[in-house]
Amino acid sequence: MQRFLTILTLVWCGLGSVPCGAEDAVKPPNIVFILADDLGYGDLGCFGSTKIRTPNIDRLAADGMRLTRHYSGNAVCAPSRCVLMTGLHPGHAFIRNNLAVGEEGQYPIPAGTKTLARRLHGAGYFCGAFGKWGLGGPQSDGRPLLQGIDRFFGYNCQGVAHNFYPTTLWDNETIFPLKNPKFSAHQKLPEGADPNDPANYRPYQGVEYSADVIQGQALKFIRDNQKRPFFLFVPTTIPHLSLQVPDDSLAEYIGKFEDAPYRGEYGYVPQQYPHACYAAMVSRLDRHVGEIVAELEKLGLTKNTIVLFSSDNGAAPKNAGGSDSDFFNSTGGLTGKKGSLQEGGIRIPGIARWPGKIPAGTVSARISGFEDWTPTLFDLAGLPLEDRNQLDGISFKETLLGQVQPARPFLYREFVRQQAVWSGQWKAIRNHLAKADDPLAMKTELYDLDADPTESKDMAAMHPQELARLEKIMRNEHRPSEIFPIPALDQK
């Protein structure tokens, strides 16, 4: 590590970019990436929410840049994180859908995968992940400590993460007990139980709220590693279902909205105040973001730390687990939700702050995606990335620094039954791919998102040349997967 920093110092001094001995020359920027779980495009104040208070995230956006055309890696959890970690789009990435394996954990990314964490670790960063991993079970080659993460605390399995009051978490590769009773995250209010009696909801609450325990470890990571370059990845479980939050946060919103008890009929645990709880969960996440920013400021790390905020996919569908994304306008008026390649399922809030480097209070509508973060972060940190031509990601360093940059040629996504390509004003989307013999499978719709962001008017018949261009990209960018096949494309 010291040898790497010394070499880096000599190189920078030799280039004359900074005075020899300057502190920033010997310490590349820290990187903090906060990833919300199922947070919709419109769930933050800085992205238009009028019902949920997010002052800390709003301040983060005011101090940096909002990315209004940023796209998650995929439409659900595991494949989206795979794109983020590998720099490969879904047509090339290994994980392309959620797939549970065994009692705990998801289908693993292979041993030796060049993850963002592994790349940064090799460049001298100490890498920590705090929250939900979801890329390989605790006994698999995909577990975090075998994928470039030096310190891990949280949930390995996204299924276990459905309960915010679990009995255990993972501390590196050791089980960490919590003072919570054991109960299922998927149950209904008992028959005959009064849905208006708060006592009937106590069985779905514990003593230690997992997101708070994980947050404490993330803050400790900052303190413990303040003297060396670190990558802090915070894939929080908030606001994913179940609808659970400590009473102090819930109290902030009870009575603010019309609210009817949720009895558990659509999965996950019951909740007396589902609207208030969802808003309180997002505000609890906002509190955590504020604590991370405050810790950086207290330790004098603000100027040399890149802070990023985004979400792994769009908001959950209405009624799932008692959620109500329509009530909160969680998609910001876009069509579609989690699990869909329509805009509401995959366009997510993006925020980047680096004081003195990323211009404050700015907005970019340049199309970007999760695969772009690997080359972008390496370019911002001034680090070499020898195999960037093997990645699908394209650096948008110039955009973040307020400079003019050419538009991304195209962005490609695929998920189970859909393919989509974005290019300039155009978006092509193909549905009905879940069955090989569906007569609609090869029908492609075309939308002008500049004029029609809600994807309401199919322009395919009026622009056949544009349609053919984007369909060719679909054919070229899909690489068949034996584990995650798309029937209409891969079955002969």
Side-chain angles (χ1 to χ4, degrees), residues 7-23:
I7 292 173
L8 191 59
T9 302
L10 292 174
V11 169
W12 286 0
C13 289
L15 291 175
S17 60
V18 293
C20 291
E23 181 180 355

Side-chain angles (χ1 to χ4, degrees), residues 81-411:
R81 290 154 200 261
C82 185
V83 171
L84 176 62
M85 281 289 132
T86 63
L88 301 175
H89 68 50
H92 297 154
F94 186 76
I95 304 297
R96 304 190 189 183
N97 197 357
N98 290 338
L99 179 58
V101 178
E103 294 185 3
E104 181 176 358
Q106 280 64 51
Y107 202 92
I109 52 176
T113 297
K114 289 185 177 180
T115 63
L116 175 58
R118 175 169 277 121
R119 292 173 183 276
L120 288 172
H121 177 89
Y125 280 74
F126 195 77
C127 301
F130 299 84
K132 185 175 84 176
W133 180 245
L135 290 174
Q139 308 303 321
S140 75
D141 289 336
R143 64 188 189 268
L145 294 193
L146 294 186
Q147 293 293 343
I149 298 296
D150 299 294
R151 173 80 179 101
F152 174 72
F153 189 92
Y155 294 93
N156 180 290
C157 176
Q158 57 203 43
V160 178
H162 292 170
N163 189 351
F164 281 86
Y165 293 100
T167 57
T168 64
L169 293 169
W170 284 97
D171 183 350
N172 285 335
E173 297 188 352
T174 302
I175 291 177
F176 185 91
L178 296 179
K179 300 173 184 177
N180 294 323
K182 186 175 182 178
F183 62 89
S184 170
H186 296 272
Q187 54 185 305
K188 297 179 182 179
L189 206 63
E191 192 72 27
D194 181 1
N196 296 306
D197 183 352
N200 289 328
Y201 297 89
R202 290 302 172 195
Y204 316 115
Q205 200 168 11
V207 176
E208 293 184 281
Y209 192 62
S210 61
D212 290 350
V213 179
I214 294 167
Q215 170 74 353
Q217 292 292 325
L219 296 175
K220 184 177 184 299
F221 178 86
I222 296 174
R223 294 190 293 270
D224 290 347
N225 296 285
Q226 59 182 292
K227 299 298 184 182
R228 57 180 169 183
F230 62 79
F231 169 49
L232 170 59
F233 180 42
V234 186
T236 177
T237 50
I238 301 175
H240 195 292
L241 302 164
S242 295
L243 290 174
Q244 297 167 300
V245 76
D247 289 343
D248 62 328
S249 286
L250 188 62
E252 297 178 24
Y253 286 98
I254 290 178
K256 297 293 193 300
F257 317 121
E258 290 185 7
D259 234 347
Y262 169 63
R263 301 181 61 97
E265 59 270 31
Y266 300 111
Y268 301 93
V269 301
Q271 170 56 241
Q272 186 175 6
Y273 304 103
H275 286 163
C277 186
Y278 184 80
M281 290 174 75
V282 176
S283 287
R284 191 103 179 173
L285 167 60
D286 181 77
R287 180 196 300 185
H288 289 170
V289 172
E291 290 171 352
I292 289 172
V293 170
E295 195 69 35
L296 294 171
E297 292 174 349
K298 183 173 71 174
L299 298 174
L301 301 176
T302 300
K303 289 186 177 180
N304 201 41
T305 300
I306 301 167
V307 179
L308 309 173
F309 181 92
S310 195
S311 176
D312 66 344
N313 47 248
K318 178 179 172 61
N319 290 332
S323 64
D324 192 348
S325 48
D326 290 350
F327 175 81
F328 288 103
N329 190 27
S330 293
T331 67
L334 301 173
T335 303
K337 297 186 176 71
K338 175 182 179 178
S340 169
L341 296 184
Q342 290 179 293
E343 293 296 287
I346 198 163
R347 191 195 295 194
I348 36 83
I351 299 171
R353 188 195 78 163
W354 190 8
K357 303 291 177 62
I358 296 175
T362 52
V363 179
S364 172
R366 183 182 185 275
I367 293 173
S368 58
F370 272 15
E371 62 266 51
D372 296 336
W373 283 116
T374 292
T376 299
L377 289 172
F378 271 73
D379 286 353
L380 288 172
L383 300 171
L385 189 62
E386 291 84 359
D387 62 344
R388 72 172 62 226
N389 62 343
Q390 299 177 25
L391 301 176
D392 295 313
I394 298 174
S395 172
F396 59 107
K397 168 189 172 182
E398 289 83 1
T399 296
L400 290 177
L401 298 183
Q403 302 165 7
V404 177
Q405 183 175 3
R408 206 182 198 286
F410 68 87
L411 184 80

